[in-house]
Amino acid sequence: MAISRYLESRKNLAGSAFGLVGLVLTFAGVAGPYWPVVVAGLYGAGALIAPPERPALPDLPDPSAQLDEVRDDFEKVRAYLTDIDLSVTAAARLRELTELLTALLDQGWSKELLAHDPEGVHSLSRIVRRDLPEAVDSFVRTRWWTRMTPGTESPELHLEQQLGLMKQDAQHLAASLRDTEARRQETHTRYLEDRGGHNGVSA
């Protein structure tokens, strides 16, 4: 396997090309009796100046595959959230957030845009896999201690604030995707206008 890789390597190919030049010089009578040294020397020179081999890129999942994984995890989180008893306000905030996340993770237009936006996929993954579960779990644990010590600050208020902040992050992502789509539409409009101008077509 190592021999096969070397035979296909840039160093061997470049060295072989230079060695071939040495053979041509030999047949032309330039190298004389020292032709083996000339051919070997040219082969070595070619191998030395050949560009280094470029290692293969690691086989990593593309953003589209990562998005599918985030979508599966979101379904697990939604199932977990159904067992949480929340106040009316917190439940409304949670519903707004999950509806927005559902739209962003939809198989339709947003998936196509997010497939070219690794940062957007990372932002969604952070909300689904860390921020949202941690906020709700922290609320559940804190609420239990609050019941043991009445009169302390309501954990519902913190949860409502956290859900609102996560919703803002999701809204920023949605706005960014909307702007990307709008720019693409504007670019296509300019392309059609320029093409019409070059063809001599007037409105």
Side-chain angles (χ1 to χ4, degrees):
M1 184 63 71
I3 295 176
S4 176
R5 284 200 301 268
Y6 179 75
L7 291 176
E8 298 173 355
S9 68
R10 296 181 181 181
K11 288 184 177 297
N12 181 55
L13 294 176
S16 298
F18 275 59
L20 185 60
V21 173
L23 289 176
V24 172
L25 294 176
T26 298
F27 291 130
V30 177
Y34 302 103
W35 69 267
V37 177
V38 172
V39 172
L42 286 173
Y43 176 90
L48 285 175
I49 66 173
E53 293 295 323
R54 187 177 66 184
L57 291 172
D59 185 17
L60 300 174
D62 61 20
S64 180
Q66 296 178 37
L67 194 61
D68 290 337
E69 295 176 1
V70 174
R71 186 179 293 106
D72 292 340
D73 290 340
F74 179 57
E75 292 304 319
K76 297 175 185 177
V77 172
R78 291 181 66 177
Y80 158 73
L81 294 174
T82 58
D83 296 328
I84 307 301
D85 182 25
L86 300 174
S87 65
V88 175
T89 304
R93 291 276 179 89
L94 179 60
R95 183 172 59 255
E96 293 171 355
L97 175 60
T98 54
E99 288 176 352
L100 183 52
L101 292 174
T102 300
L104 287 170
L105 289 168
D106 183 75
Q107 290 277 7
W109 67 271
S110 59
K111 178 181 178 180
E112 180 182 350
L113 290 174
L114 284 169
H116 303 286
D117 185 5
E119 290 299 322
V121 175
H122 174 71
S123 178
L124 270 177
S125 175
R126 184 178 57 217
I127 295 175
V128 170
R129 292 172 169 168
R130 188 188 68 187
D131 294 345
L132 181 54
E134 183 174 328
V136 175
D137 183 62
S138 178
F139 159 75
V140 172
R141 288 183 284 110
T142 305
R143 184 176 59 178
W144 184 84
W145 286 107
T146 301
R147 290 173 178 172
M148 299 287 290
T149 55
T152 57
E153 189 174 9
S154 170
E156 279 84 358
L157 295 178
H158 284 289
L159 178 61
E160 291 168 12
Q161 183 179 10
Q162 292 165 5
L163 293 172
L165 292 171
M166 282 182 270
K167 180 184 175 184
Q168 288 181 14
D169 288 343
Q171 287 175 327
H172 289 157
L173 175 58
S176 176
L177 295 176
R178 183 177 62 246
D179 291 344
T180 299
E181 192 76 339
R183 285 194 299 271
R184 185 168 68 174
Q185 186 182 33
E186 291 170 1
T187 299
H188 190 59
T189 299
R190 287 195 296 271
Y191 160 74
L192 293 175
E193 290 174 344
D194 293 342
R195 189 180 67 181
H198 292 320
N199 292 337
V201 178
S202 58

